[in-house]
């Protein structure tokens, strides 16, 4: 598998590169979009970050947790209660 993050950092001379994966979820009846960002294995303790946003038009609620070493820790850092 290619390490696109490292390739982009090198070729573009970028200081930070994040790969994004998006998921559509429902918390109760509320539609949310969860974006998990990954800086690659070289950024071990701050590799992942999660951003959660309301998915419906007019729902501007957004919560982003701090960067963490695992996806689980990044998701745990989101203020989920803001979507209750």
């Amino acid at each position: 598998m290619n390490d696109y993050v490292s390739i982009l950092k090198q070729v573009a001379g970028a200081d930070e590169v994040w790969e994004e994966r998006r998921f559509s979820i429902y918390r109760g009846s509320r539609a949310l979009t969860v974006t998990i960002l990954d800086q690659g294995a070289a950024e071990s303790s701050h590799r992942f970050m999660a951003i959660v946003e309301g998915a419906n038009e007019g729902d501007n609620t957004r919560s982003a947790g701090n960067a963490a070493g695992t996806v689980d820790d990044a998701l745990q850092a989101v203020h989920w209660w803001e979507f209750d």
Side-chain angles (χ1 to χ4, degrees):
M1 185 166 158
N2 290 320
D3 182 1
Y4 295 114
V5 171
S6 293
I7 293 168
L8 280 166
K9 278 185 179 180
Q10 181 182 6
V11 173
D15 295 323
E16 285 188 32
V17 177
W18 294 85
E19 181 177 1
E20 295 184 10
R21 293 193 65 189
R22 290 183 184 260
F23 301 88
S24 296
I25 70 168
Y26 289 88
R27 182 174 169 94
S29 61
R30 192 167 185 182
L32 303 173
T33 300
V34 178
T35 305
I36 298 175
L37 299 104
D38 182 355
Q39 289 194 86
E43 300 293 331
S44 59
S45 65
H46 294 91
R47 178 175 178 173
F48 299 99
M49 188 165 68
I51 300 170
V52 180
E53 300 171 293
N56 292 328
E57 188 174 328
D59 186 348
N60 297 322
T61 309
R62 183 179 192 271
S63 181
N66 294 330
T70 67
V71 172
D72 186 58
D73 287 345
L75 289 168
Q76 294 287 341
V78 171
H79 296 168
W80 290 100
W81 61 87
E82 294 179 16
F83 301 99
D84 290 340

